[in-house]
Amino acid sequence: MLCFDIYAANHAFARVYKPLLDPLGLTYPQFLVMLVLWAEAPLSVGTIGKRLGLSSNTLTPLLKRLAQTGYVTRRRDGADERRVQVDLTESGAALRERADHVQQCATRATGMSLEDMQALQDQLQRLSAHLLESGRA
Amino acid sequence: MLCFDIYAANHAFARVYKPLLDPLGLTYPQFLVMLVLWAEAPLSVGTIGKRLGLSSNTLTPLLKRLAQTGYVTRRRDGADERRVQVDLTESGAALRERADHVQQCATRATGMSLEDMQALQDQLQRLSAHLLESGRA
DNA sequence: TGCGCTTAAATCGTGTACGATACAAAGGAA
DNA sequence: TTCCTTTGTATCGTACACGATTTAAGCGCA
């Protein structure tokens, strides 16, 4: 079963990342949120959720922990008081360099060439698109 | 990032399976455990864990829920009282037919040919093996 | 026989995930 | 304006996932 192998690969990645992320004070999902913010910040809770496929019920407590750790700030958008803008702190932005090293370690751990990795990513993206599409039908 | 795409694909699968599994009274992880048991039963808690990469701290409550639903039984192994043998009930074994239909729906939802799917599974299995290997080094 | 080491489950605390719901702010129609 | 609907977060309850610890059952060896 394909779902089985993806489940296993996801676990395997989480296990590779955990010892690398522990010194940074990040969990694996928190790291994924930071990846999104390093690419573009500030972002609203909802926008982060769209990028990761998560909703506020998961993100709100996660972001509160990131804020408590001191990597992000959360404040109401002045223009639209419904929105909460999440931004990087200086400390959160500075973490990016150390995170790059984490990525390199993780990439090495896959044992794959960059071309194979890119091909696999393309396949997975097509797969996800198909699965989500069929969910709406 | 590859980890990102695998994370997304795993979520996408969970979302496809949820509406299919709800009528069966199973969650996605519970379904994975049932897959293992349908392939071979009875099995000890530890053996199920090896197949799925989970330990007793996750499996014990999950198996208790499966037992409460009436799909499995849990009893101490007479030969080795440390072990708990998990076996299918009549109802749990009978569920297999309905589950086959779920698998067909999910397979269709991938939008992939059987050959492509097999190739992707092989890649993922090699990837997981590499990741787990590098974790021990 | 007895002592210690290992192994198998269970338990505990923390942190995701998610459906359902609540609630306040925004935006529109009468 | 007033009401109604939509939108963006937050909250609640249930169910994984996992590190750390606990407990009990084998097992080995002096």
Coordinates of all heavy atoms in Angstrom, one line a residue, chain A residues 25-107:
Chain A
G25 N 15.7 24.0 19.8 CA 14.4 24.2 20.5 C 13.2 24.2 19.7 O 12.2 24.8 20.0
L26 N 13.3 23.4 18.5 CA 12.1 23.3 17.6 C 11.6 21.9 17.5 O 12.4 21.0 17.5 CB 12.5 23.8 16.2 CG 12.7 25.3 16.0 CD1 13.2 25.6 14.6 CD2 11.5 26.1 16.3
T27 N 10.3 21.7 17.4 CA 9.8 20.4 17.0 C 9.7 20.4 15.5 O 9.9 21.4 14.8 CB 8.3 20.2 17.5 OG1 7.5 21.1 16.9 CG2 8.3 20.4 19.1
Y28 N 9.4 19.2 14.9 CA 9.4 19.1 13.5 C 8.3 20.0 12.9 O 8.6 20.7 11.9 CB 9.2 17.6 13.1 CG 9.3 17.3 11.7 CD1 10.3 17.7 10.9 CD2 8.2 16.6 11.0 CE1 10.4 17.3 9.5 CE2 8.3 16.2 9.7 CZ 9.4 16.6 9.0 OH 9.4 16.3 7.6
P29 N 7.1 20.0 13.4 CA 6.0 20.8 12.8 C 6.4 22.3 13.0 O 6.1 23.1 12.1 CB 4.8 20.5 13.5 CG 5.0 19.1 14.0 CD 6.5 19.0 14.3
Q30 N 7.0 22.7 14.1 CA 7.4 24.0 14.3 C 8.4 24.5 13.3 O 8.4 25.6 12.8 CB 7.9 24.2 15.7 CG 6.9 24.2 16.8 CD 7.5 24.1 18.2 OE1 8.7 24.2 18.4 NE2 6.7 23.9 19.2
F31 N 9.3 23.5 13.0 CA 10.3 23.8 12.0 C 9.7 24.0 10.6 O 10.1 25.0 9.9 CB 11.3 22.6 11.9 CG 12.3 22.6 10.8 CD1 13.3 23.6 10.8 CD2 12.2 21.7 9.7 CE1 14.2 23.6 9.8 CE2 13.1 21.8 8.7 CZ 14.1 22.7 8.7
L32 N 8.6 23.3 10.3 CA 8.0 23.5 9.0 C 7.3 24.9 8.9 O 7.4 25.6 7.9 CB 6.9 22.4 8.8 CG 7.4 21.0 8.6 CD1 6.3 20.0 8.5 CD2 8.3 20.9 7.4
V33 N 6.8 25.3 10.1 CA 6.2 26.7 10.1 C 7.3 27.7 9.9 O 7.1 28.7 9.2 CB 5.5 26.9 11.5 CG1 5.1 28.4 11.7 CG2 4.2 26.0 11.5
M34 N 8.4 27.5 10.6 CA 9.6 28.4 10.4 C 10.0 28.5 9.0 O 10.4 29.6 8.5 CB 10.7 28.0 11.3 CG 10.4 28.2 12.8 SD 10.0 29.9 13.3 CE 11.6 30.6 13.3
L35 N 10.0 27.3 8.3 CA 10.4 27.3 6.9 C 9.5 28.3 6.1 O 10.0 29.0 5.2 CB 10.3 25.9 6.3 CG 11.4 24.9 6.5 CD1 11.1 23.6 5.9 CD2 12.7 25.5 6.0
V36 N 8.2 28.2 6.4 CA 7.3 29.0 5.7 C 7.5 30.5 6.0 O 7.5 31.4 5.1 CB 5.8 28.7 6.1 CG1 4.8 29.7 5.6 CG2 5.5 27.3 5.6
L37 N 7.8 30.8 7.2 CA 8.1 32.2 7.6 C 9.4 32.7 7.1 O 9.5 33.9 6.7 CB 8.0 32.3 9.1 CG 6.6 32.2 9.7 CD1 6.7 32.2 11.3 CD2 5.7 33.4 9.3
W38 N 10.4 31.9 7.0 CA 11.7 32.3 6.4 C 11.5 32.7 5.0 O 12.2 33.5 4.5 CB 12.8 31.2 6.6 CG 13.3 31.1 8.0 CD1 13.5 32.2 8.9 CD2 13.6 29.9 8.7 NE1 13.9 31.7 10.1 CE2 14.1 30.3 10.0 CE3 13.7 28.6 8.4 CZ2 14.5 29.4 11.0 CZ3 14.1 27.7 9.4 CH2 14.5 28.1 10.6
A39 N 10.6 32.0 4.3 CA 10.4 32.3 2.9 C 9.7 33.6 2.7 O 9.9 34.3 1.8 CB 9.6 31.1 2.2
E40 N 8.8 33.9 3.7 CA 8.0 35.1 3.6 C 7.4 35.5 4.9 O 6.7 34.6 5.5 CB 6.9 34.9 2.5 CG 6.1 36.2 2.3 CD 4.9 35.9 1.4 OE1 4.7 34.7 0.9 OE2 4.1 36.8 1.1
A41 N 7.7 36.6 5.4 CA 7.1 37.1 6.7 C 6.9 38.6 6.6 O 7.7 39.3 6.0 CB 8.0 36.7 7.8
P42 N 5.9 39.1 7.3 CA 5.0 38.4 8.1 C 3.9 37.8 7.3 O 3.6 38.1 6.2 CB 4.4 39.6 9.0 CG 4.4 40.8 8.1 CD 5.7 40.6 7.3
L43 N 3.2 36.8 7.9 CA 2.0 36.2 7.3 C 0.9 36.0 8.4 O 1.2 35.9 9.6 CB 2.4 34.8 6.8 CG 3.3 34.7 5.6 CD1 3.7 33.2 5.3 CD2 2.6 35.2 4.4
S44 N -0.3 36.0 7.9 CA -1.4 35.7 8.8 C -1.5 34.2 9.2 O -0.9 33.4 8.4 CB -2.7 36.1 8.2 OG -3.1 35.3 7.2
V45 N -2.2 33.9 10.2 CA -2.3 32.5 10.6 C -2.9 31.7 9.5 O -2.5 30.6 9.2 CB -3.2 32.4 11.9 CG1 -3.6 31.0 12.2 CG2 -2.5 33.1 13.1
G46 N -3.9 32.2 8.9 CA -4.6 31.5 7.8 C -3.7 31.2 6.6 O -3.8 30.1 6.0
T47 N -2.8 32.2 6.3 CA -1.9 32.0 5.1 C -0.9 30.9 5.4 O -0.6 30.0 4.6 CB -1.2 33.3 4.8 OG1 -2.2 34.3 4.6 CG2 -0.4 33.2 3.5
I48 N -0.4 30.9 6.6 CA 0.5 29.8 7.0 C -0.2 28.5 6.9 O 0.4 27.5 6.5 CB 1.0 30.1 8.5 CG1 1.8 31.3 8.6 CG2 1.8 28.9 9.0 CD1 2.2 31.7 10.0
G49 N -1.5 28.5 7.4 CA -2.2 27.3 7.3 C -2.4 26.8 5.9 O -2.4 25.5 5.7
K50 N -2.7 27.7 5.0 CA -2.8 27.3 3.6 C -1.5 26.6 3.1 O -1.6 25.6 2.4 CB -3.2 28.5 2.7 CG -4.6 28.8 2.7 CD -5.0 29.6 1.4 CE -6.4 30.2 1.5 NZ -6.4 31.4 2.4
R51 N -0.4 27.2 3.4 CA 0.9 26.6 2.9 C 1.1 25.2 3.4 O 1.7 24.4 2.8 CB 2.1 27.5 3.4 CG 2.0 28.9 2.9 CD 2.8 29.1 1.7 NE 3.1 30.5 1.5 CZ 2.3 31.5 1.1 NH1 1.0 31.1 0.8 NH2 2.7 32.7 1.0
L52 N 0.6 24.9 4.7 CA 0.9 23.6 5.3 C -0.3 22.7 5.4 O -0.1 21.5 5.8 CB 1.4 23.9 6.7 CG 2.8 24.6 6.9 CD1 3.1 25.0 8.3 CD2 3.9 23.6 6.4
G53 N -1.4 23.2 5.0 CA -2.6 22.3 5.1 C -3.1 22.2 6.5 O -3.6 21.2 6.9
L54 N -2.9 23.2 7.3 CA -3.3 23.2 8.7 C -4.3 24.3 9.0 O -4.3 25.3 8.3 CB -2.1 23.3 9.6 CG -1.0 22.2 9.5 CD1 0.2 22.5 10.4 CD2 -1.6 20.9 10.0
S55 N -5.1 24.2 10.1 CA -6.0 25.2 10.4 C -5.6 25.8 11.8 O -4.7 25.3 12.4 CB -7.4 24.7 10.5 OG -7.6 23.5 9.7
S56 N -6.4 26.8 12.2 CA -6.1 27.5 13.4 C -6.1 26.6 14.6 O -5.4 26.9 15.6 CB -7.1 28.7 13.6 OG -8.4 28.2 13.8
N57 N -6.9 25.6 14.6 CA -7.0 24.7 15.8 C -5.6 24.1 16.1 O -5.3 23.8 17.2 CB -8.1 23.7 15.7 CG -8.1 23.0 14.3 OD1 -7.2 23.1 13.6 ND2 -9.1 22.2 14.1
T58 N -4.9 23.8 15.0 CA -3.5 23.3 15.2 C -2.5 24.4 15.4 O -1.6 24.3 16.2 CB -3.1 22.4 14.0 OG1 -4.0 21.3 13.9 CG2 -1.7 21.9 14.2
L59 N -2.6 25.4 14.5 CA -1.6 26.5 14.5 C -1.6 27.4 15.7 O -0.5 27.8 16.2 CB -1.8 27.3 13.2 CG -1.3 26.6 11.9 CD1 -1.6 27.5 10.7 CD2 0.2 26.3 12.0
T60 N -2.7 27.7 16.2 CA -2.8 28.7 17.3 C -1.9 28.2 18.5 O -1.0 29.0 18.9 CB -4.2 28.9 17.8 OG1 -4.9 29.5 16.7 CG2 -4.3 29.8 19.0
P61 N -2.1 27.0 19.0 CA -1.2 26.6 20.1 C 0.3 26.5 19.7 O 1.2 26.9 20.5 CB -1.8 25.3 20.6 CG -2.7 24.9 19.6 CD -3.1 26.0 18.8
L62 N 0.5 26.0 18.5 CA 1.9 25.9 18.0 C 2.6 27.2 17.9 O 3.7 27.4 18.4 CB 1.9 25.2 16.6 CG 3.2 24.8 16.0 CD1 2.9 23.6 15.0 CD2 3.9 25.9 15.3
L63 N 1.8 28.2 17.4 CA 2.4 29.6 17.3 C 2.6 30.2 18.6 O 3.6 31.0 18.8 CB 1.5 30.5 16.4 CG 1.5 30.1 14.9 CD1 0.4 30.8 14.2 CD2 2.8 30.3 14.3
K64 N 1.8 29.9 19.6 CA 1.9 30.4 20.9 C 3.2 29.9 21.5 O 3.9 30.6 22.2 CB 0.8 30.1 21.8 CG -0.5 31.0 21.6 CD -1.6 30.6 22.6 CE -2.8 31.5 22.3 NZ -4.0 31.1 23.1
R65 N 3.5 28.6 21.2 CA 4.8 28.0 21.8 C 6.0 28.7 21.1 O 7.0 29.0 21.7 CB 4.8 26.5 21.5 CG 3.9 25.8 22.5 CD 3.9 24.3 22.4 NE 2.6 23.8 22.9 CZ 1.6 23.3 22.1 NH1 1.8 23.2 20.8 NH2 0.5 22.8 22.7
L66 N 5.9 28.9 19.7 CA 7.0 29.6 19.0 C 7.2 31.0 19.6 O 8.3 31.4 19.7 CB 6.7 29.6 17.5 CG 7.0 28.4 16.7 CD1 6.6 28.6 15.3 CD2 8.4 28.0 16.9
A67 N 6.1 31.6 19.9 CA 6.2 33.0 20.5 C 6.8 32.9 21.9 O 7.7 33.8 22.2 CB 4.8 33.6 20.6
Q68 N 6.5 31.9 22.7 CA 7.0 31.8 24.0 C 8.5 31.5 23.9 O 9.3 32.0 24.8 CB 6.3 30.7 24.7 CG 6.6 30.6 26.2 CD 5.5 30.1 27.0 OE1 4.6 29.4 26.5 NE2 5.5 30.3 28.3
T69 N 8.9 30.7 22.9 CA 10.3 30.4 22.7 C 11.1 31.7 22.3 O 12.3 31.8 22.5 CB 10.5 29.3 21.7 OG1 9.7 28.2 22.0 CG2 12.0 28.9 21.6
G70 N 10.3 32.6 21.7 CA 11.0 33.9 21.3 C 11.3 34.0 19.8 O 12.1 34.9 19.4
Y71 N 10.8 33.1 19.0 CA 11.1 33.1 17.6 C 10.2 33.9 16.7 O 10.5 34.3 15.6 CB 11.2 31.7 17.0 CG 12.4 30.9 17.6 CD1 12.3 29.5 17.7 CD2 13.6 31.5 17.9 CE1 13.4 28.8 18.2 CE2 14.7 30.8 18.4 CZ 14.6 29.4 18.6 OH 15.6 28.7 19.0
V72 N 8.9 34.1 17.2 CA 7.9 34.8 16.4 C 7.1 35.8 17.4 O 7.1 35.6 18.6 CB 6.9 33.9 15.7 CG1 7.7 32.9 14.8 CG2 6.0 33.2 16.7
T73 N 6.5 36.7 16.7 CA 5.5 37.6 17.4 C 4.1 37.4 16.8 O 4.0 37.1 15.6 CB 5.9 39.1 17.3 OG1 6.0 39.4 15.9 CG2 7.2 39.3 18.0
R74 N 3.1 37.6 17.6 CA 1.7 37.5 17.2 C 1.0 38.8 17.6 O 0.9 39.1 18.7 CB 1.0 36.3 17.8 CG 1.7 35.0 17.5 CD 1.2 33.9 18.5 NE -0.2 33.6 18.4 CZ -1.1 33.9 19.3 NH1 -0.7 34.4 20.4 NH2 -2.4 33.6 19.2
R75 N 0.5 39.5 16.6 CA -0.3 40.7 16.9 C -1.4 40.9 15.9 O -1.3 40.5 14.7 CB 0.6 41.9 17.0 CG 1.2 42.3 15.7 CD 1.9 43.7 15.9 NE 2.4 44.3 14.7 CZ 2.2 43.9 13.4 NH1 1.4 42.9 13.2 NH2 2.7 44.6 12.4
R76 N -2.6 41.4 16.4 CA -3.7 41.6 15.5 C -3.4 42.6 14.4 O -2.7 43.6 14.6 CB -4.9 42.2 16.3 CG -5.5 41.2 17.3 CD -6.5 40.3 16.6 NE -6.8 39.1 17.5 CZ -7.5 38.1 17.0 NH1 -8.1 38.1 15.8 NH2 -7.8 37.1 17.8
D77 N -3.8 42.3 13.2 CA -3.7 43.2 12.1 C -4.5 44.5 12.3 O -5.7 44.4 12.6 CB -4.1 42.5 10.8 CG -3.9 43.3 9.5 OD1 -3.7 44.5 9.7 OD2 -3.9 42.7 8.4
G78 N -3.9 45.7 12.2 CA -4.6 46.9 12.4 C -5.7 47.1 11.4 O -6.8 47.6 11.7
A79 N -5.4 46.7 10.1 CA -6.4 47.0 9.0 C -7.6 46.0 9.2 O -8.7 46.4 8.8 CB -5.7 46.8 7.7
D80 N -7.3 44.8 9.6 CA -8.4 43.8 9.8 C -8.2 43.1 11.1 O -7.4 42.2 11.2 CB -8.4 42.9 8.6 CG -9.5 41.9 8.6 OD1 -10.2 41.8 9.7 OD2 -9.8 41.3 7.6
E81 N -9.0 43.5 12.1 CA -8.8 43.0 13.5 C -9.1 41.5 13.6 O -8.8 40.9 14.6 CB -9.6 43.8 14.4 CG -9.1 45.2 14.7 CD -7.9 45.3 15.7 OE1 -7.8 44.3 16.4 OE2 -7.1 46.2 15.6
R82 N -9.6 40.9 12.6 CA -9.8 39.5 12.7 C -8.5 38.7 12.5 O -8.3 37.7 13.1 CB -10.8 39.0 11.6 CG -12.2 39.4 11.8 CD -13.0 39.1 10.6 NE -12.5 39.7 9.3 CZ -13.0 39.5 8.1 NH1 -14.1 38.8 8.0 NH2 -12.5 40.0 7.1
R83 N -7.7 39.3 11.7 CA -6.4 38.6 11.3 C -5.4 38.7 12.4 O -5.3 39.8 13.1 CB -5.8 39.2 10.1 CG -6.3 38.5 8.8 CD -5.5 39.0 7.6 NE -6.3 39.9 6.8 CZ -7.0 39.4 5.7 NH1 -7.0 38.2 5.4 NH2 -7.7 40.3 5.0
V84 N -4.5 37.7 12.6 CA -3.4 37.8 13.5 C -2.1 37.7 12.6 O -2.0 36.7 11.9 CB -3.4 36.7 14.5 CG1 -2.0 36.6 15.2 CG2 -4.5 36.9 15.5
Q85 N -1.3 38.7 12.6 CA 0.0 38.7 11.8 C 1.1 38.0 12.7 O 1.3 38.4 13.8 CB 0.4 40.1 11.5 CG -0.5 40.8 10.5 CD -0.4 40.2 9.1 OE1 0.7 39.7 8.7 NE2 -1.4 40.3 8.3
V86 N 1.7 37.0 12.0 CA 2.8 36.3 12.7 C 4.1 36.8 12.0 O 4.2 36.7 10.7 CB 2.7 34.8 12.5 CG1 3.9 34.1 13.2 CG2 1.4 34.4 13.1
D87 N 5.1 37.3 12.8 CA 6.3 37.8 12.2 C 7.5 37.2 12.9 O 7.4 36.7 14.1 CB 6.4 39.3 12.3 CG 7.3 39.9 11.2 OD1 8.0 39.1 10.6 OD2 7.3 41.1 11.1
L88 N 8.7 37.2 12.3 CA 9.9 36.6 12.9 C 10.5 37.7 13.9 O 10.5 38.9 13.6 CB 10.9 36.3 11.8 CG 10.6 35.1 10.9 CD1 11.5 35.1 9.7 CD2 10.6 33.8 11.6
T89 N 11.0 37.2 15.0 CA 11.8 38.1 15.8 C 13.2 38.1 15.3 O 13.5 37.3 14.4 CB 11.8 37.6 17.3 OG1 12.4 36.3 17.3 CG2 10.4 37.5 17.9
E90 N 14.0 38.9 15.9 CA 15.4 38.9 15.4 C 16.0 37.5 15.7 O 16.7 37.0 14.8 CB 16.2 39.9 16.3 CG 17.3 40.7 15.6 CD 17.9 41.8 16.5 OE1 17.2 42.8 16.8 OE2 19.0 41.6 16.9
S91 N 15.7 37.0 16.8 CA 16.2 35.6 17.1 C 15.7 34.6 16.2 O 16.4 33.7 15.8 CB 15.8 35.3 18.6 OG 15.7 34.0 18.8
G92 N 14.4 34.7 15.8 CA 13.9 33.8 14.8 C 14.5 33.9 13.5 O 14.7 32.8 12.8
A93 N 14.7 35.1 13.0 CA 15.4 35.3 11.7 C 16.8 34.8 11.7 O 17.3 34.2 10.8 CB 15.3 36.8 11.4
A94 N 17.5 35.0 12.9 CA 18.9 34.6 12.9 C 19.0 33.1 12.9 O 20.1 32.5 12.5 CB 19.5 35.1 14.2
L95 N 18.0 32.4 13.4 CA 18.0 30.9 13.4 C 18.1 30.3 12.1 O 18.6 29.1 11.9 CB 16.7 30.4 14.1 CG 16.6 29.0 14.6 CD1 17.6 28.9 15.8 CD2 15.2 28.6 15.0
R96 N 17.8 31.1 11.0 CA 17.8 30.5 9.7 C 19.1 29.9 9.3 O 19.2 28.9 8.6 CB 17.4 31.6 8.7 CG 17.2 31.1 7.3 CD 16.8 32.3 6.4 NE 16.3 31.8 5.1 CZ 15.7 32.6 4.2 NH1 15.5 33.9 4.6 NH2 15.4 32.1 3.0
E97 N 20.2 30.6 9.7 CA 21.5 30.0 9.3 C 21.8 28.6 9.9 O 22.2 27.7 9.2 CB 22.6 31.0 9.8 CG 22.7 32.3 9.1 CD 23.6 33.3 9.8 OE1 24.6 32.8 10.3 OE2 23.4 34.5 9.8
R98 N 21.5 28.5 11.1 CA 21.7 27.2 11.8 C 20.7 26.2 11.1 O 21.1 25.0 11.0 CB 21.4 27.3 13.3 CG 22.4 28.1 14.0 CD 22.7 27.5 15.4 NE 21.7 28.0 16.4 CZ 21.5 27.3 17.5 NH1 22.1 26.1 17.8 NH2 20.6 27.8 18.4
A99 N 19.6 26.6 10.7 CA 18.6 25.7 10.1 C 19.1 25.2 8.7 O 18.9 24.1 8.3 CB 17.3 26.4 9.9
D100 N 19.9 26.1 8.0 CA 20.4 25.7 6.7 C 21.3 24.4 6.9 O 21.3 23.5 6.1 CB 21.2 26.8 6.1 CG 20.3 27.8 5.5 OD1 19.1 27.5 5.3 OD2 20.8 29.0 5.2
H101 N 22.1 24.4 8.0 CA 22.9 23.3 8.3 C 22.1 22.0 8.5 O 22.5 20.9 8.1 CB 23.8 23.6 9.5 CG 24.7 22.5 9.9 ND1 24.4 21.7 11.0 CD2 25.8 21.9 9.3 CE1 25.3 20.8 11.1 NE2 26.2 20.9 10.1
V102 N 21.0 22.2 9.2 CA 20.1 21.1 9.5 C 19.6 20.5 8.1 O 19.6 19.3 7.9 CB 18.9 21.6 10.3 CG1 17.8 20.5 10.3 CG2 19.3 21.9 11.7
Q103 N 19.2 21.4 7.2 CA 18.7 20.9 5.9 C 19.8 20.1 5.2 O 19.5 19.1 4.6 CB 18.4 22.1 5.1 CG 17.3 23.0 5.6 CD 15.9 22.5 5.4 OE1 15.7 21.3 5.6 NE2 15.1 23.3 4.9
Q104 N 21.0 20.6 5.3 CA 22.1 19.9 4.6 C 22.3 18.5 5.2 O 22.5 17.5 4.4 CB 23.4 20.7 4.7 CG 23.5 21.9 3.8 CD 24.6 22.9 4.1 OE1 25.6 22.4 4.7 NE2 24.4 24.1 3.8
C105 N 22.3 18.4 6.5 CA 22.4 17.1 7.1 C 21.3 16.2 6.7 O 21.5 15.0 6.3 CB 22.3 17.2 8.6 SG 23.8 18.0 9.3
A106 N 20.0 16.7 6.7 CA 18.9 15.9 6.3 C 19.0 15.5 4.8 O 18.6 14.3 4.5 CB 17.6 16.7 6.6
T107 N 19.4 16.4 4.0 CA 19.5 16.1 2.6 C 20.5 14.9 2.4 O 20.3 14.0 1.6 CB 19.9 17.3 1.8 OG1 19.0 18.3 1.9 CG2 20.1 17.0 0.3

